[in-house]
Amino acid sequence: LKLKRPRAPEGGDAEGAGAAAATKPSEAAAGAAAAAREKKPRLRSRDARVLVYEEAWKLLSGWDKQRVFLHPVTDDIAPRYSEIITSPMDLSTIRSKLTKYKSLAAMDHDVVLMLDNCMKYNGQDTSFHALAASIKAKWRGELPRLEREEGEALER
C-alpha cells in the first residue's frame, strides 16, 4: 500500500501541513483497510452456496466433453424419448436452477436424474450409457467435497 502525503493548503499554512503529515502510516493503512472492508461486503451464505453449485456445474460440464448433456433431448434426435423418459433433465436446465436450489442435495437429485435418464434410454452397450455411468462415478466422488464446501458456506 503506497500512501500519499497530503499537500499543504495553498497559502502555506505550515501548522496545517504539519498536522496532516503527523498521521502515522500504520493508522492510515488501518483506515484504508477498514474502508476496503466496508466497500467489499462479505458473501451471504446463499451467495456462497450458489458459488459451490456453480463450481459443481462447471465440473459436470467439463466431464461432458461432447456436450451430450448440455441441452434438452428432443424426440427428433432420440425417437420416443418423451414416451420413455417422463422427467427429462439436462445441464442447461440445471444451470438455470443454480440460484433456485435450496441445497446441494436438490442439485444432486437433478444430476442423478439426468444421468439415470440417459442410462435408461440408452442400452448398456452404448457409448452414451458408458459416458453417463462415468460422469455419475466422478460426481459421486466429488460430492463429499462439495457438501463440505456447502457446509462451510452455510457457516458464513
Side-chain angles (χ1 to χ4, degrees):
L1 180 64
K2 187 174 183 178
L3 300 175
K4 291 184 179 181
R5 286 196 162 164
R7 284 197 227 172
E10 289 195 25
D13 180 359
E15 187 176 319
T23 303
K24 295 179 183 175
S26 60
E27 291 173 6
R37 281 192 301 274
E38 288 175 21
K39 289 180 185 175
K40 185 178 178 185
R42 277 183 71 174
L43 287 175
R44 294 179 306 171
S45 64
R46 177 165 171 68
D47 297 333
R49 281 194 350 248
V50 171
L51 292 176
V52 174
Y53 307 154
E54 287 173 352
E55 177 189 353
W57 188 90
K58 287 176 186 174
L59 284 172
L60 291 162
S61 64
W63 296 329
D64 182 22
K65 295 187 185 340
Q66 292 118 355
R67 306 271 185 235
V68 171
F69 299 102
L70 187 57
H71 299 291
V73 177
T74 64
D75 286 335
D76 291 336
I77 60 172
R80 298 184 48 238
Y81 188 83
S82 62
E83 295 172 27
I84 298 166
I85 303 300
T86 57
S87 299
M89 186 53 60
D90 63 278
L91 286 175
S92 66
T93 302
I94 291 171
R95 184 174 181 105
S96 72
K97 295 170 70 175
L98 292 180
T99 59
K100 297 173 182 84
Y101 287 125
K102 302 283 187 209
S103 67
L104 187 61
M107 182 179 181
D108 175 56
H109 175 270
D110 284 349
V111 170
V112 172
L113 174 64
M114 173 185 74
L115 299 170
D116 285 351
N117 285 347
C118 178
M119 290 187 283
K120 179 179 180 180
Y121 181 82
N122 297 285
Q124 285 188 351
D125 58 341
T126 66
S127 61
F128 296 113
H129 190 285
L131 177 62
S134 171
I135 291 175
K136 190 173 183 178
K138 291 175 185 176
W139 174 250
R140 287 288 174 234
E142 287 293 325
L143 207 51
R145 180 184 62 80
L146 293 167
E147 289 168 338
R148 281 191 304 276
E149 288 182 13
E150 181 187 39
E152 292 167 5
L154 289 171
E155 293 171 4
R156 293 182 193 170

